[in-house]
Amino acid sequence: MKELEINLTHTSYRIIIEDGLFDHIGDYIKQIYKNNKVFIVTDDNVAKLYLKKVTTVLEKDFTVESVVIPHGEASKCLTEYSHICEELLKKDIRRNHLLLALGGGVIGDLTGFVASTLYRGIPYIGIPTSLLSQMDSSIGGKTGIDFFGRKNILGAFKQPSMVLIDPKVLNTLEPSEYISGMGELIKHGAIGNKKLFDLLDTRPGVDEEIIKESLSVKKKVVEIDEFDTGERMKLNFGHTFGHAIELKYGYKHGVAVGIGMRMALTMGVDLGVTDPLAKDTINRILDKYGFPQVEYDYKEYLADVVYDKKNIAGTINFIFITKLGEAVIYPIREDDLKEKENECNN
Ligand code: GLY
């Protein structure tokens, strides 16, 4: 078992990482929740794999209700949000009851958003079942839904009361889902934890310690900048180009982030910001963990990134690696970017 604690100004919570945690999940929940009823929100795919098991274990200590929604990003919408609230109210949820978000990023974001609004806020625990959500969205309290054609445009910062990670669930992931989660995991090493690279180099796959080392980077960043106004931007390493190629080629998110990291490394080296040795090491680890060995010319994507949400008043905040385990926020003015783009078109 490995454990981390996130300490914020108004709250703190534990992240437990334990192989086989699902076999006695109620023990952890009982430590922080004294009521006798819990409400699971999950999707149809995750329900097939884990709902019966988790429910049976929890029923030793709690009355368990559940709401199952269709899987996929399309469920992160107002209709599904209101459907979940209706179902919970029909099942007589009260403001001192607990929600359990059992699933990947969509379930975490949606359930967290319900938890932030129902009765003006009720507690929830994250139980992320994909490597991507274990590595990213389950930690740090960003919740929300898509609306008006824009991702996460309605949302709230709502920290969970606890995050429970069972690495055993990774055994049921499709290889492409696994690689996608590795994108965020490797990103954490690149921006904040050199030791993680030694573990990734020498161990055969993801284990409790690797997950803990990766999340320790997110912990540090979120503790400094809970509301995403500065330091937390470093978590966007690989995302600026990643979003552009995710949209263009349809790669899974973390896979696009991996390729986006390759592009940002090349741009960082060209600008003299990134140590070429760091670029080689990160690219080698991406190769080892099965990322496509492709890299698109970053100059061809500079126009696309101008429209990215990180474009604040004519400035793009790029994230570059300086040396392995260290990142820098590097603002570039839109006009200066156009010059670089022209260099490519000439
Ligand atoms: N996914 C980036 C963040 O939590 O800020």
Side-chain angles (χ1 to χ4, degrees):
M1 193 271 259
K2 302 276 179 222
E3 182 171 343
L4 285 167
E5 187 169 271
I6 308 273
N7 292 301
L8 302 166
T9 320
H10 297 292
T11 185
S12 64
Y13 56 95
R14 288 193 298 155
I15 303 166
I16 311 288
I17 306 150
E18 183 188 311
D19 277 314
L21 179 150
F22 278 12
D23 298 336
H24 66 115
I25 191 164
D27 294 342
Y28 287 114
I29 296 175
K30 271 192 300 184
Q31 290 174 10
I32 59 157
Y33 180 62
K34 301 302 169 205
N35 229 312
N36 63 356
K37 199 166 174 185
V38 294
F39 295 76
I40 299 175
V41 181
T42 192
D43 71 35
D44 50 353
N45 277 349
V46 177
K48 273 183 227 138
L49 293 167
Y50 302 115
L51 185 57
K52 190 157 181 280
K53 177 184 174 122
V54 169
T55 303
T56 308
V57 173
L58 286 172
E59 278 173 346
K60 287 185 204 146
D61 299 294
F62 305 100
T63 302
V64 183
E65 299 279 8
S66 48
V67 179
V68 181
I69 65 164
H71 66 275
E73 182 74 23
S75 284
K76 254 178 75 168
C77 63
L78 265 185
T79 312
E80 216 49 63
Y81 163 82
S82 92
H83 165 72
I84 294 170
C85 292
E86 257 177 50
E87 289 300 309
L88 293 171
L89 290 166
K90 276 188 207 154
K91 294 175 195 293
D92 199 25
I93 191 164
R94 305 290 172 91
R95 64 185 297 183
N96 56 353
H97 281 149
L98 177 70
L99 285 181
L100 303 177
L102 176 68
V106 169
I107 287 295
D109 287 5
L110 193 49
T111 310
F113 189 49
V114 170
S116 75
T117 47
L118 199 61
Y119 294 112
R120 297 199 185 92
I122 62 172
Y124 78 105
I125 287 180
I127 311 170
T129 56
S130 67
L131 185 57
L132 187 64
S133 58
Q134 290 179 352
M135 284 305 111
D136 188 24
S137 56
S138 66
I139 319 291
K142 281 189 180 175
T143 74
I145 58 174
D146 306 336
F147 183 65
F148 201 60
R150 294 169 72 177
K151 269 179 83 103
N152 301 322
I153 198 73
L154 297 180
F157 285 95
K158 166 79 176 167
Q159 301 294 338
S161 302
M162 190 180 241
V163 179
L164 298 172
I165 296 178
D166 186 344
K168 264 196 182 169
V169 300
L170 303 180
N171 299 336
T172 55
L173 282 188
E174 297 280 321
S176 63
E177 289 289 345
Y178 193 82
I179 295 176
S180 183
M182 285 306 295
E184 298 288 350
L185 190 150
I186 293 168
K187 175 200 78 183
H188 286 152
I191 66 168
N193 191 343
K194 191 168 170 304
K195 176 181 166 197
L196 179 58
F197 271 87
D198 299 332
L199 295 175
L200 288 169
D201 229 354
T202 51
R203 303 247 169 114
V206 172
D207 56 22
E208 289 178 359
E209 190 179 5
I210 286 181
I211 293 177
K212 180 180 171 184
E213 287 300 326
S214 174
L215 290 182
S216 70
V217 176
K218 182 138 192 189
K219 164 189 156 66
K220 245 186 262 165
V221 170
V222 170
E223 283 177 349
I224 296 171
D225 178 23
E226 178 180 358
F227 297 110
D228 201 10
T229 56
E231 185 76 5
R232 195 160 172 170
M233 275 186 234
K234 289 185 180 170
L235 295 173
N236 289 329
F237 175 55
H239 285 62
T240 306
F241 292 118
H243 282 157
I245 62 160
E246 188 176 350
L247 280 177
K248 183 159 179 193
Y249 298 104
Y251 288 110
K252 283 193 185 297
H253 176 73
V255 177
V257 167
I259 299 170
M261 286 194 272
R262 294 191 197 273
M263 294 162 77
L265 287 164
T266 300
M267 184 169 173
V269 170
D270 286 354
L271 290 170
V273 178
T274 301
D275 173 4
L277 280 177
K279 173 181 166 173
D280 292 347
T281 307
I282 297 165
N283 276 330
R284 185 168 54 75
I285 292 294
L286 287 169
D287 295 347
K288 173 176 171 181
Y289 284 90
F291 282 79
Q293 293 192 15
V294 290
E295 186 183 332
Y296 302 94
D297 183 351
Y298 71 83
K299 289 181 184 163
E300 286 177 18
Y301 288 84
L302 292 175
D304 294 344
V305 306
V306 169
Y307 298 102
D308 192 86
K309 67 180 188 302
K310 285 168 286 297
N311 177 12
I312 300 168
T315 300
I316 314 292
N317 285 311
F318 282 88
I319 311 300
F320 294 123
I321 300 304
T322 45
K323 56 185 188 179
L324 193 61
E326 283 181 26
V328 69
I329 301 169
Y330 193 95
I332 304 184
R333 287 178 46 245
E334 221 178 284
D335 293 346
D336 295 340
L337 272 184
K338 287 205 181 100
E339 268 169 38
K340 291 191 188 309
E341 200 190 329
N342 289 340
E343 275 169 31
C344 145
N345 295 332
N346 288 340

